[in-house]
């Protein structure tokens, strides 16, 4: 890999000498944190290849869209954004347009780009990420298009360069792929089977990040609960990360309810650095639909683990994902979901209208409810959750919350903002030197989707 990076760096240095300006890259990483984390590696490789980063795709020498396949609207947006580059490529035929990530791992999508988007130069799926330098080298050295869709079983490639998005919060991938085959989901097809990183490499990365001043580490995987490296399972890994000396906090996502054990809850309760917040996507409140989704748990089991966590972890909060309009879902199923949402008292919800994904089991299920009705159900769910969230925000007034300060607040000079363990935005009077520090805030107000307060004396 290094040889190809070096070749491209020399190629770019020659361009710099000729034109007087450094070749530029524009990248955009769509979708989940896992994809954003892959994107930090793409950016890392581009930086080592000698590219400077620019803000606009139409001005760049290379554009990389790192795509997402989870829902159709994400794919539509990407088709639109790639189509918009046609004129820029016409103006600058040397521009390289590249696509990678989950969406293009699907054969029918890769074929569409091959046939209908002749100005797309390189295309590769998530498993070919470490091959990116070689793919780009082939494009630059021969001028021909390079499409590389490997089977999604790739070995984990350690030691890829990383250009991190922030200097306070960092993502650490601990595993790749998914074995669960929820019937609506394309992820197992495009990202392949579960592979866990060696725990020693995860710990090294966490130690380096803490030493570099990062204050929040998020361990990432499609299903972190099934992490395993030798004798070390997810709970073991969390305890080891928690033992790293320093002032920082630990998050993880995503946790699958079927594998979220009491042992994990005990671990969160006992480890001081792990946030008392769990994102535990339930998807539906109807046991019939959960079964159709192949989720592997019932609402009863889900409520049990949430109940246990509430007992064991002081102040614990929950967030969740919901899919509305899964094939065959009825009004009665929806009402069960609404009842569950009320009962769970989530801090916030990520709600999605079901999107049919080619090749998944649910794609072949009868889906009689019209989109319009699904949209009405979706709005109904949002309203229910908005009322719950509003009540929870208002209930926080008068309490004290611990916040990691991230940067300037929206209210202008003299204000800073940060987030609580449950990811709630809090704004308070403060100055720039608080950035990266933990502060205790006495909450005085709940304006909209944030809290406001003052640093506790
Ligand atoms: N349609 C709608 N939402 C989906 N999700 C995953 N696949 C689909 C789909 N086909 C949602 C799930 C998951 C979140 C990341 O995206 O709620 O938890
Ligand atoms: Fe998709 Fe289910 Fe795997 Fe999550 S656990 S990535 S929803 S198949």
């Amino acid at each position: 890999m290094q040889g190809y990076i070096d070749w491209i760096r020399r190629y770019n240095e020659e361009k710099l000498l000729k034109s007087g300006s450094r070749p530029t890259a524009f990248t955009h990483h769509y979708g989940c944190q896992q994809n954003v984390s892959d994107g930090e590696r793409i950016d890392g490789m581009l930086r080592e290849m000698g590219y400077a980063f620019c803000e606009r795709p139409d001005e760049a020498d290379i554009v990389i869209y790192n795509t997402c396949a989870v829902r159709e609207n994400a794919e539509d947006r990407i088709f639109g954004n790639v189509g918009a580059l046609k004129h820029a490529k016409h103006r600058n035929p040397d521009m390289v347009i590249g696509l990678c990530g989950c969406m293009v791992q699907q054969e029918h999508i890769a074929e569409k780009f091959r046939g209908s988007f002749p100005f797309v130069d390189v295309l590769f799926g998530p498993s070919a990420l470490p091959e990116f330098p070689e793919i780009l080298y082939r494009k630059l050295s021969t001028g021909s298009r390079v499409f590389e869709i490997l089977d999604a079983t790739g070995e984990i490639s350690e030691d890829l360069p990383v250009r991190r998005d922030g200097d306070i919060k960092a993502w650490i991938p601990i595993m790749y792929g998914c074995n669960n085959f929820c019937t609506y989901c394309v992820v197992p097809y495009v990202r392949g089977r579960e592979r866990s990183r060696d725990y020693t490499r995860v710990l090294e990365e966490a130690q380096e990040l803490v030493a570099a001043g990062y204050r929040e580490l998020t361990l990432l995987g499609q299903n972190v609960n099934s992490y395993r490296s030798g004798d070390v399972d997810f709970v073991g890994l969390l305890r080891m990360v928690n033992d790293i000396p320093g002032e920082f906090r630990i998050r993880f996502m995503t946790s699958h309810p079927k594998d979220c054990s009491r042992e994990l809850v005990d671990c969160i309760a006992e480890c001081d650095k792990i946030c008392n917040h769990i994102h535990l996507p339930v998807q539906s409140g109807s046991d019939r639909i959960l079964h159709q989704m192949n989720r592997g748990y019932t609402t009863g089991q889900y409520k049990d683990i949430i109940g246990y966590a509430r007992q064991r972890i002081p102040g614990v909060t929950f967030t969740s994902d919901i899919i509305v309009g899964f094939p065959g879902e009825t009004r009665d199923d929806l009402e069960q979901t609404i009842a569950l949402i009320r009962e769970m008292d989530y801090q916030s919800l990520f709600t999605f209208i079901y999107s049919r994904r080619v090749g998944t089991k649910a794609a072949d299920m009868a889906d009689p409810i019209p989109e319009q009705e699904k949209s009405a159900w979706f709005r109904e769910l949002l309203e229910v959750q908005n009322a719950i969230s509003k009540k929870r925000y208002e209930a926080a007034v008068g309490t004290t919350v611990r916040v990691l300060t991230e940067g300037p607040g929206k209210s202008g000079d003299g204000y800073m903002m940060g987030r609580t363990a449950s990811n709630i935005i809090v704004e308070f009077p403060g100055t720039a030197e608080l950035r990266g520090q933990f502060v205790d805030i006495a909450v005085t107000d709940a304006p909209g989707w944030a809290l406001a307060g003052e640093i506790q004396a």
Side-chain angles (χ1 to χ4, degrees):
M1 179 187 77
Q2 195 58 43
Y4 297 113
I5 290 183
D6 292 343
W7 187 93
I8 298 168
R9 193 195 288 123
R10 282 197 301 276
Y11 176 92
N12 281 333
E13 273 158 15
E14 275 169 32
K15 277 187 127 182
L16 170 64
L17 283 177
K18 270 192 217 141
S19 69
S21 61
R22 184 169 287 286
T24 54
F26 176 89
T27 61
H28 190 81
H29 312 295
Y30 297 85
C32 66
Q33 297 319 331
Q34 189 85 47
N35 212 41
V36 170
S37 166
D38 281 356
E40 292 184 330
R41 282 158 180 81
I42 293 168
D43 290 354
M45 290 188 260
L46 285 166
R47 183 171 58 189
E48 291 217 347
M49 293 168 186
Y51 288 100
F53 289 84
C54 65
E55 299 291 321
R56 292 187 45 162
D58 48 349
E59 291 169 354
D61 293 288
I62 180 167
V63 176
I64 302 284
Y65 286 137
N66 180 22
T67 64
C68 168
V70 163
R71 282 171 293 276
E72 192 176 1
N73 53 9
E75 295 191 340
D76 288 345
R77 218 171 45 237
I78 291 159
F79 278 123
N81 289 347
V82 176
L85 291 176
K86 190 173 172 182
H87 297 294
K89 175 89 174 184
H90 193 67
R91 280 197 308 274
N92 173 15
D94 286 342
M95 178 183 205
V96 175
I97 299 177
L99 301 175
C100 60
C102 294
M103 175 185 175
V104 301
Q105 181 72 30
Q106 306 168 95
E107 231 158 79
H108 67 285
I109 300 276
E111 279 316 304
K112 185 162 171 179
F113 279 116
R114 196 193 296 276
S116 310
F117 292 77
F119 51 94
V120 169
D121 301 290
V122 298
L123 181 149
F124 55 98
S127 296
L129 185 73
E131 267 68 60
F132 171 48
E134 180 183 347
I135 291 169
L136 184 56
Y137 159 79
R138 276 159 55 197
K139 162 68 199 159
L140 294 174
S141 61
T142 67
S144 38
R145 302 173 91 187
V146 186
F147 279 42
E148 192 77 73
I149 308 293
L150 304 176
D151 278 352
T153 50
E155 291 283 296
I156 295 180
S157 207
E158 296 286 351
D159 302 324
L160 293 182
V162 188
R163 176 182 186 257
R164 294 194 188 267
D165 282 347
D167 56 0
I168 296 175
K169 305 198 287 188
W171 314 110
I172 307 183
I174 63 166
M175 58 185 300
Y176 298 90
C178 181
N179 292 350
N180 289 313
F181 289 95
C182 300
T183 54
Y184 51 81
C185 187
V186 76
V187 168
Y189 301 92
V190 292
R191 285 201 172 255
R193 298 293 70 73
E194 287 173 358
R195 289 95 69 198
S196 294
R197 281 179 75 192
D198 194 296
Y199 78 92
T200 56
R201 304 305 297 259
V202 174
L203 284 181
E204 265 168 36
E205 187 171 344
Q207 279 156 351
E208 279 166 25
L209 288 164
V210 171
Y214 283 85
R215 292 285 170 263
E216 183 176 302
L217 309 181
T218 303
L219 309 185
L220 292 178
Q222 304 299 341
N223 178 12
V224 286
N225 308 87
S226 48
Y227 175 86
R228 179 161 286 279
S229 161
D231 289 340
V232 179
D233 62 5
F234 183 54
V235 168
L237 180 73
L238 273 176
R239 289 190 189 275
M240 286 193 262
V241 177
N242 190 70
D243 284 342
I244 297 174
E247 198 186 12
F248 66 98
R249 65 186 180 193
I250 305 167
R251 297 184 186 281
F252 56 86
M253 68 192 297
T254 299
S255 193
H256 194 306
K258 87 177 158 58
D259 303 314
C260 180
S261 60
R262 290 191 169 215
E263 212 192 339
L264 174 62
V265 171
D266 293 340
C267 168
I268 299 171
E270 286 156 16
C271 292
D272 58 321
K273 291 174 182 137
I274 304 178
C275 289
N276 58 352
H277 168 252
I278 313 178
H279 181 61
L280 204 59
V282 69
Q283 312 297 359
S284 169
S286 154
D287 284 334
R288 191 179 71 83
I289 294 294
L290 287 177
H291 182 71
Q292 295 284 311
M293 288 176 162
N294 189 33
R295 289 290 289 174
Y297 54 86
T298 62
T299 50
Q301 288 163 333
Y302 184 85
K303 288 181 200 173
D304 264 4
I305 194 70
I306 294 237
Y308 182 66
R310 289 219 148 102
Q311 227 178 300
R312 284 286 278 128
I313 310 169
V316 67
T317 56
F318 297 92
T319 50
S320 195
D321 295 346
I322 299 279
I323 295 178
V324 180
F326 182 80
E329 189 176 10
T330 63
R331 176 78 216 172
D332 181 55
D333 295 313
L334 177 79
E335 276 167 18
Q336 292 182 47
T337 299
I338 290 176
L340 182 82
I341 289 172
R342 291 217 162 95
E343 191 180 337
M344 293 299 101
D345 197 23
Y346 292 116
Q347 182 64 49
S348 62
L349 265 191
F350 301 89
T351 309
F352 310 101
I353 295 181
Y354 168 73
S355 173
R356 185 178 172 274
R357 305 286 68 208
V358 173
T360 60
K361 277 209 171 133
D364 298 328
M365 296 179 187
D367 189 7
I369 303 289
E371 282 301 307
Q372 238 179 351
E373 192 165 350
K374 291 186 181 184
S375 298
W377 288 1
F378 175 80
R379 287 193 300 273
E380 202 176 329
L381 272 189
L382 285 193
E383 265 171 42
V384 171
Q385 181 57 42
N386 283 351
I388 297 170
S389 297
K390 186 161 182 282
K391 183 198 72 191
R392 292 185 60 96
Y393 274 85
E394 283 163 1
V397 175
T399 65
T400 298
V401 292
R402 191 151 180 80
V403 164
L404 172 59
T405 315
E406 291 181 11
K410 278 199 175 146
S411 303
D413 268 4
Y415 284 88
M416 298 296 282
M417 63 72 67
R419 283 172 202 266
T420 65
S422 13
N423 245 334
I424 296 173
I425 294 176
V426 185
E427 202 178 63
F428 50 93
T431 47
E433 71 266 12
L434 290 174
R435 211 173 155 270
Q437 288 187 34
F438 288 94
V439 286
D440 289 321
I441 304 291
V443 180
T444 54
D445 200 4
W449 300 114
L451 298 175
E454 283 166 10
I455 297 181
Q456 203 161 47

